[in-house]
Amino acid sequence: MAERARMMQRAGEILETDKQSLGQMMTAEMGKPIKAAIAEAEKCAWVCRYYAENAQQHLADHIVETTAKKSYVHFQPLGPVLAVMPWNFPFWQVFRFAAPALMAGNVGLLKHASNVPQCALTIEDIFARAGFPQGVFQTLLIGSDAVEGILNDRRVVAATLTGSEPAGRSVAAAAGKQIKKTVLELGGSDPFIVMPSANLDEAVTTAVKARTINNGQSCIAAKRFIVAAEIYDEFERRFVEDMRGLKIGDPMEESTDIGPLATPQIVNDLDEQVKKAVASGARVLTGGKKIDRAGNFYEPTVLVDVDINAPVSCEEIFGPVAMLFRASDINEAIRIANATQFGLGSSAWTNDANEQAQFIEELEAGSVFINGMVASDPRLPFGGVKNSGYGRELADFGIREFVNIKTVWIGGNTDNADNTE
Ligand code: NAP
């Protein structure tokens, strides 16, 4: 473990040292603004350091008092784990799997999204340069049709997938046939709720950031903004104004807020979703169409009058398109927030302690952020409920997903040992 920790620290140092060139590679491959890409490399360095420093404690034997002379829980690696990963955070998604998996003693096999092959190969190279033996982390340049065959290989013991719901269903089904464990981090349609006691300046600024981060292509981007009736008009006015003020342009320029979406397909899908929403009664307050310039650009868009049961409200919207809803009180806000098949993150803005407690209790999501934007942090578990998946990444919960949680019972007094299972 100590040796692995040294190598993981080294991987973190490489990410930190090379963050400019790594950021440029991410931006060139999938279009995220360069500032965000460099920050992503820094965050990967953080998760490497975090697990280098904490894995030993997370996986230490856990003594449990029983009738045995000694009984405890002992954690052991499982073996090679397949990671099927998306392009939207092409480094972060991989490192948040790989840092704990490798520190636990597993082998990582990466099947990255097909549009980010350079990132995929570079990540393999970073682990090699950090000193991990050849094969401990391998990138497989394969298409999604090859995944089932890999899961059928008896040497591969488990899989994790971060991606869309259909991909999750497919990988979980293939792994299930082989009785192999999966962790699924799937889509989201996160609510962002603003109540009258909230600091409106902060809420509006954060709302715009939460919707447009990564050009709007984030699983935990806030997608549905649910605002109390008393402050709705003011929130709407300011939110639309700020969305209009975003700087769209070359993602390699430091001042750019919104760059191109990753592929032409994503722009077309987004455009279809908006058109369908408008056809079924939604109004466009700003944006609402592709931008007529080279690249996959889409206007920052705000929709209102969306039926909460309309497809656009229930599906995931992967791009800079926000929907605003008016709620008469907290109960209606929670009802709208929970009216989705997804349950990844949620953000609620209020300075009322009772309302905070109600949001924490009643929002159906893997996380509740009060007066803050949903974000991952190596120290806190990350994951979803409902169709957003299952299992957790990060923190102690994440590193214990791909280990054998082995019960050890050492006799002496065997009085209780003949219990049934
Ligand atoms: P995607 O199309 O599902 O692809 C994700 C990965 O799965 C890619 O490597 C893809 O390979 C592979 N894949 C797709 N269909 C597959 C299948 N039937 N069998 C095996 N592998 C398959 O998703 P994406 O467009 O890259 O990413 C966006 C999605 O990821 C969004 O839904 C987003 O919310 C979700 N996401 C979730 C989280 C989270 O933590 N919950 C984080 C980030 C993103 P190919 O590229 O070769 O098709």
Side-chain angles (χ1 to χ4, degrees):
M1 177 80 87
E3 199 184 336
R4 289 203 289 272
R6 270 193 296 280
M7 294 185 285
M8 197 55 76
Q9 286 283 12
R10 176 82 191 109
E13 285 158 18
I14 295 168
L15 284 155
E16 196 70 60
T17 312
D18 293 358
K19 63 187 176 193
Q20 292 287 345
S21 59
L22 297 174
Q24 280 163 4
M25 181 194 299
M26 290 182 229
T27 298
E29 274 198 321
M30 51 68 67
K32 73 169 61 200
I34 186 70
K35 272 183 302 193
I38 294 168
E40 183 168 336
E42 285 170 349
K43 193 162 177 180
C44 293
W46 181 19
V47 81
C48 290
R49 283 196 303 275
Y50 172 82
Y51 279 109
E53 288 161 14
N54 293 287
Q56 184 147 24
Q57 184 207 333
H58 292 332
L59 299 179
D61 288 348
H62 173 63
I63 304 280
V64 182
E65 294 296 333
T66 65
T67 52
K69 247 193 201 159
K70 185 177 182 185
S71 47
Y72 60 99
V73 183
H74 181 60
F75 302 98
Q76 289 183 313
L78 285 184
V81 181
L82 175 67
V84 183
M85 290 290 148
W87 48 265
N88 63 340
F89 290 89
F91 268 58
W92 172 242
Q93 305 296 357
V94 177
F95 275 90
R96 79 178 182 188
F97 151 73
L102 265 50
M103 281 307 299
N106 295 305
V107 160
L109 300 172
L110 171 65
K111 180 266 174 279
H112 216 327
S114 304
N115 55 330
V116 288
Q118 286 192 65
C119 291
L121 290 169
T122 303
I123 294 169
E124 181 183 70
D125 185 53
I126 290 171
F127 284 118
R129 284 165 63 199
F132 284 95
Q134 196 186 2
V136 167
F137 185 91
Q138 291 178 55
T139 287
L140 312 172
L141 292 177
I142 53 172
S144 55
D145 53 351
V147 166
E148 183 159 7
I150 291 173
L151 287 168
N152 289 344
D153 188 312
R154 62 178 176 74
R155 292 168 295 182
V156 175
V157 293
T160 183
L161 177 135
T162 301
S164 61
E165 198 187 327
R169 284 184 195 283
S170 166
V171 167
K177 277 192 221 150
Q178 303 298 328
I179 320 199
K180 291 178 181 175
K181 179 171 179 175
T182 45
V183 166
L184 298 181
E185 297 285 0
L186 308 179
S189 183
D190 287 7
F192 187 107
I193 304 167
V194 189
M195 300 302 288
S197 64
N199 177 330
L200 204 57
D201 290 343
E202 235 185 286
V204 172
T205 307
T206 311
V208 171
K209 186 173 169 203
R211 175 57 280 202
T212 56
I213 194 161
N214 215 35
N215 302 336
Q217 305 159 118
S218 167
C219 54
I220 49 170
K223 290 162 190 152
R224 296 171 302 133
F225 298 82
I226 303 159
V227 184
E230 295 94 311
I231 52 163
Y232 178 89
D233 291 340
E234 181 64 9
F235 181 93
E236 181 189 282
R237 188 184 63 73
R238 293 205 214 173
F239 183 77
V240 170
E241 198 176 296
D242 286 6
M243 287 287 275
R244 283 195 186 122
L246 292 169
K247 185 168 177 227
I248 300 161
D250 180 349
M252 288 292 182
E253 277 176 21
E254 288 270 338
S255 59
T256 294
D257 296 313
I258 303 234
L261 303 186
T263 64
Q265 180 71 38
I266 292 171
V267 186
N268 290 338
D269 289 350
L270 191 64
D271 200 38
E272 272 307 299
Q273 283 176 304
V274 171
K275 282 186 177 139
K276 273 192 200 154
V278 171
S280 60
R283 272 187 305 129
V284 177
L285 296 188
T286 186
K289 55 183 192 309
K290 298 179 196 175
I291 298 175
D292 189 17
R293 63 182 280 179
N296 310 311
F297 288 90
Y298 199 86
E299 290 179 341
T301 298
V302 180
L303 299 177
V304 292
D305 298 344
V306 176
D307 183 334
I308 62 166
N309 298 313
V312 72
S313 176
C314 305
E315 297 163 358
E316 180 171 38
I317 297 203
F318 230 52
V321 176
M323 287 171 281
L324 304 190
F325 299 88
R326 189 190 298 259
S328 56
D329 61 13
I330 185 168
N331 293 320
E332 191 183 17
I334 292 172
R335 188 173 61 76
I336 298 170
N338 289 341
T340 164
Q341 68 202 353
F342 294 112
L344 196 54
S346 60
S347 172
W349 292 71
T350 170
N351 284 307
D352 177 314
N354 290 330
E355 287 181 354
Q356 292 181 356
Q358 189 174 348
F359 283 128
I360 291 165
E361 217 45 55
E362 296 182 14
L363 285 172
E364 296 168 1
S367 65
V368 179
F369 282 63
I370 301 288
N371 298 333
M373 187 175 110
V374 179
S376 57
D377 178 322
R379 299 161 295 187
L380 291 168
F382 182 94
V385 294
K386 297 161 78 175
N387 288 4
S388 292
Y390 50 74
R392 290 292 177 266
E393 293 192 291
L394 302 175
D396 49 347
F397 293 90
I399 198 168
R400 292 195 190 132
E401 288 285 3
F402 296 118
V403 290
N404 177 9
I405 302 173
K406 187 182 263 182
T407 294
V408 181
W409 194 96
I410 302 173
N413 173 355
T414 53
D415 287 353
N416 280 353
D418 60 352
N419 280 348
T420 59
E421 66 178 21

